[in-house]
């Protein structure tokens, strides 16, 4: 098999793990992982520089899931990449950060896979997210810290710090005022080590975005002084990679990648608000798996418990 033959099953494995975890919990947000999985896959597989065996390597690229309600996506990525766990003192524990059994306990009390990412609860989470806008705002501080560390410690003949910061955000993050302030500061500080990926699926919790949010986000960011590029189809892995290369070759400005995606891609509720925050149900998951060409067994047979967190 070539790496191209493996790409689609890899993306669909991420989607399937997310659907199964959410189905087992009977709670969660399946729509966003289904839509944005190809972008997450391309970023983590081809661009994000990190060492799963040394999850706190100081010069690792940082990934922030600002749309924290889609946490199943992050748990699936951490599981599939085999990122190792560390304790609060940053000692490597010799076990994965997220096992399949952890995914099976998604959203249960004490689970390593809570409803939203919690810093220092699950290894691989760089900052707590869930309040929309918070993750993108924090990513600006992280990018400033990266440039400060580089200025302080790098030598002409030896680079210690040159990490990049990626944040993935949805329509809800872009609606929050804090994102505007942070975006303005990022451009002013010329944070070329910062890349925001805007998952534009035009659906939020209350319905389609056209009922509350019609501004031109790309134009808004150009006004701030960002480098802005667009991916017309989240499933086009080459276009996603081209956009990420655009970020990598930019030396003056932060980059915004506007990605047009389909919430709930492949499920019976694709492109509808129903895909945002309700599990697809046994039949919905089966139907999505058939569409994706994945085995139908899975979440329906996982342990079923009652959900303990919402939002
Ligand atoms: C500041 C804040 N307000 C409200 C919420 C509740 N909330 C969780 S997800 C969501 C909608 C997010 O929409 P979007 O970013 O488009 O996510 P998608 O529908 O693509 O999953 C809201 C309002 C929140 N998490 N944070």
């Amino acid at each position: 098999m070539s790496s191209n033959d493996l790409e689609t099953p890899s993306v669909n494995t991420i989607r399937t793990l997310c659907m199964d975890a959410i189905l087992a919990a009977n709670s969660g947000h399946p729509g966003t992982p289904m839509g944005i999985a190809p972008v997450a896959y391309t970023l983590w597989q081809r661009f994000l520089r990190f060492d799963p065996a040394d999850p706190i390597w100081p010069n690792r690229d940082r990934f922030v899931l600002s749309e924290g309600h889609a946490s199943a996506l992050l748990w699936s990525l951490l599981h599939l990449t085999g990122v190792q766990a560390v304790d609060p003192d940053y000692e490597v524990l010799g076990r994965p950060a997220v096992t399949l059994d952890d995914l099976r306990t998604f959203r249960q009390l004490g689970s390593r896979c809570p409803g939203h990412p919690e810093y220092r609860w699950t290894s691989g989470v760089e900052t707590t997210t869930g309040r929309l806008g918070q993750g993108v705002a924090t990513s600006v501080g992280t990018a400033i810290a990266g440039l400060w560390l580089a200025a302080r410690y790098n030598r002409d003949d030896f680079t210690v710090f040159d990490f990049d910061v990626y944040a993935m955000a949805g329509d809800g993050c872009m609606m929050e005022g804090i994102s505007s302030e942070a975006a303005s500061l990022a451009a002013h500080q010329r944070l070329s080590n910062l890349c925001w990926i805007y998952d534009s699926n035009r659906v939020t919790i209350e319905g389609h975005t056209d009922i509350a949010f019609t501004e031109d986000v790309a134009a808004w960011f150009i006004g701030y002084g960002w480098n802005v590029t667009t991916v017309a189809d989240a499933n086009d892995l080459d276009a996603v990679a081209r956009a990420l290369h655009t970020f990598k070759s930019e030396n003056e400005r932060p980059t915004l990648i506007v990605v047009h995606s389909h919430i709930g891609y492949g499920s019976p509720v694709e492109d509808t608000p129903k895909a945002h925050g309700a599990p697809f149900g046994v039949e919905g998951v089966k139907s999505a798996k058939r569409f994706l060409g994945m085995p139908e067994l899975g979440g329906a047979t996982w342990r079923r418990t009652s959900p303990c967190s919402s939002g």
Side-chain angles (χ1 to χ4, degrees):
M1 262 191 173
S2 73
S3 62
N4 277 355
D5 296 331
L6 285 173
E7 285 187 324
T8 302
S10 300
V11 171
N12 289 338
T13 299
I14 297 171
R15 289 174 164 138
T16 297
L17 282 174
C18 294
M19 280 192 285
D20 282 347
I22 291 164
L23 182 62
N26 197 24
S27 170
H29 299 75
T32 287
M34 298 298 282
I36 206 68
V39 181
Y41 167 80
T42 306
L43 174 61
W44 280 60
Q45 179 70 15
R46 294 176 57 181
F47 290 86
L48 202 68
R49 196 174 45 159
F50 67 107
D51 179 357
D54 185 7
I56 52 131
W57 175 47
N59 197 31
R60 69 191 180 280
D61 288 345
R62 269 61 169 184
F63 175 78
V64 176
L65 186 69
S66 195
E67 44 191 354
H69 56 280
S71 65
L73 176 67
L74 184 54
W75 311 140
S76 301
L77 292 166
L78 290 172
H79 171 61
L80 292 169
T81 50
V83 168
Q84 293 297 295
V86 292
D87 66 15
D89 295 324
Y90 286 154
E91 295 295 326
V92 178
L93 295 174
R95 62 164 171 76
V98 174
T99 63
L100 199 55
D101 279 339
D102 291 328
L103 270 165
R104 289 187 170 111
T105 64
F106 177 61
R107 278 190 165 232
Q108 305 307 307
L109 195 61
S111 172
R112 287 202 194 95
C113 299
H116 298 79
E118 302 279 349
Y119 181 59
R120 289 210 161 172
W121 177 255
T122 313
S123 306
V125 174
E126 301 287 6
T127 182
T128 298
T129 52
R131 300 269 63 88
L132 297 168
Q134 177 182 345
V136 280
T138 304
S139 74
V140 172
T142 311
I144 291 174
L147 294 190
W148 185 90
L149 287 166
R152 177 75 180 81
Y153 293 108
N154 290 355
R155 296 290 175 266
D156 287 343
D157 56 349
F158 195 80
T159 298
V160 184
F161 289 104
D162 62 353
F163 65 81
D164 291 322
V165 182
Y166 297 89
M168 199 172 258
D171 298 301
C173 286
M174 292 302 166
M175 288 170 165
E176 292 294 332
I178 193 173
S179 308
S180 314
E181 298 171 40
S184 167
L185 178 64
H188 179 74
Q189 294 289 343
R190 298 175 180 267
L191 302 182
S192 61
N193 59 340
L194 178 66
C195 179
W196 286 6
I197 297 167
Y198 169 30
D199 170 22
S200 172
N201 58 29
R202 299 159 306 280
V203 167
T204 67
I205 201 167
E206 64 274 317
H208 292 278
T209 47
D210 56 11
I211 60 174
F213 188 63
T214 45
E215 65 198 41
D216 184 339
V217 174
W220 155 38
F221 274 71
I222 289 169
Y224 278 140
W226 282 57
N227 171 37
V228 178
T229 186
T230 300
V231 173
D233 176 7
N235 287 317
D236 184 344
L237 302 187
D238 290 336
V240 173
R242 274 198 302 279
L244 288 163
H245 279 301
T246 303
F247 159 63
K248 293 294 289 179
S249 51
E250 169 63 44
N251 294 317
E252 291 289 325
R253 301 167 294 175
T255 294
L256 177 75
I257 303 177
V258 182
V259 180
H260 294 285
S261 68
H262 295 275
I263 194 165
Y265 177 76
S267 76
V269 289
E270 178 177 334
D271 279 333
T272 76
K274 283 186 182 154
H276 165 82
F280 295 150
V282 174
E283 290 313 312
V285 168
K286 275 190 187 166
S287 159
K289 287 183 180 175
R290 274 197 299 276
F291 174 82
L292 298 171
M294 300 298 284
E296 284 182 30
L297 279 177
T301 60
W302 287 5
R303 185 169 62 92
R304 287 181 151 270
T305 41
S306 359
C308 72
S309 63
S310 63

